[in-house]
């Protein structure tokens, strides 16, 4: 499988699930439950990712990060955003010191 466009392909599928019957898919059910359910799922997956990292099992870490990323993509779609916006932000930050980037955010808040 070509990983190059996987985020866009997943985003397209997530978008196609909007407005479908909740019983038709897991994602449609999440959308139907609303933002709080999506956020709760992200929190659960973040916790599971932390626990997998503490255990040090590489395959479990990868599995949990995939779940976390997936549910984050569901959030983006729910909010009318595309992962390309996040990738553009990462591109904008690339080559910038993390400390300098954080300082620039602090001075604008």
């Amino acid at each position: 499988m070509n990983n190059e466009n996987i985020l866009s392909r997943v985003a397209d599928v997530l978008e196609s699930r909007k407005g479908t019957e909740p019983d038709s898919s897991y994602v449609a059910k999440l959308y139907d439950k609303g933002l709080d359910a999506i956020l709760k799922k992200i929190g659960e997956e973040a916790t599971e990712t932390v626990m997998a990292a503490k255990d040090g099992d590489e395959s479990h870490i990868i599995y949990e990060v995939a779940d976390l990323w997936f549910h984050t993509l569901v959030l983006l779609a729910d909010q009318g955003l595309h992962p390309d916006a996040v990738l553009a932000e990462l591109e904008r930050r690339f080559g910038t010191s993390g400390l300098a980037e954080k300082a620039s955010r602090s001075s604008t808040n």
Side-chain angles (χ1 to χ4, degrees):
M1 175 182 264
N2 179 356
N3 292 333
E4 190 171 316
N5 295 314
I6 191 67
L7 292 179
S8 286
R9 292 182 4 228
V10 171
D12 290 345
V13 170
L14 295 175
E15 193 64 34
S16 75
R17 299 292 197 263
K18 285 184 174 179
T20 60
E21 289 297 317
D23 292 340
S24 67
S25 77
Y26 170 74
V27 171
K29 190 174 291 190
L30 267 180
Y31 287 145
D32 186 62
K33 289 181 179 179
L35 181 60
D36 285 346
I38 295 168
L39 297 174
K40 181 180 177 187
K41 196 65 186 163
I42 290 172
E44 290 170 6
E45 298 303 342
T47 299
E48 290 172 5
T49 299
V50 168
M51 291 172 16
K54 292 288 256 176
D55 290 343
D57 180 342
E58 289 180 13
S59 63
H60 193 202
I61 294 168
I62 291 166
Y63 182 88
E64 294 302 342
V65 169
D67 279 351
L68 178 59
W69 285 12
F70 176 82
H71 288 90
T72 301
L73 291 170
V74 171
L75 171 66
L76 289 174
D78 181 70
Q79 298 295 301
L81 300 168
H82 193 275
D84 286 347
V86 177
L87 294 174
E89 176 61 15
L90 289 172
E91 179 69 27
R92 184 190 70 75
R93 294 179 188 187
F94 191 79
T96 302
S97 158
L99 295 175
E101 196 282 327
K102 185 173 181 179
S104 74
R105 284 186 283 136
S106 296
S107 65
T108 60
N109 291 335

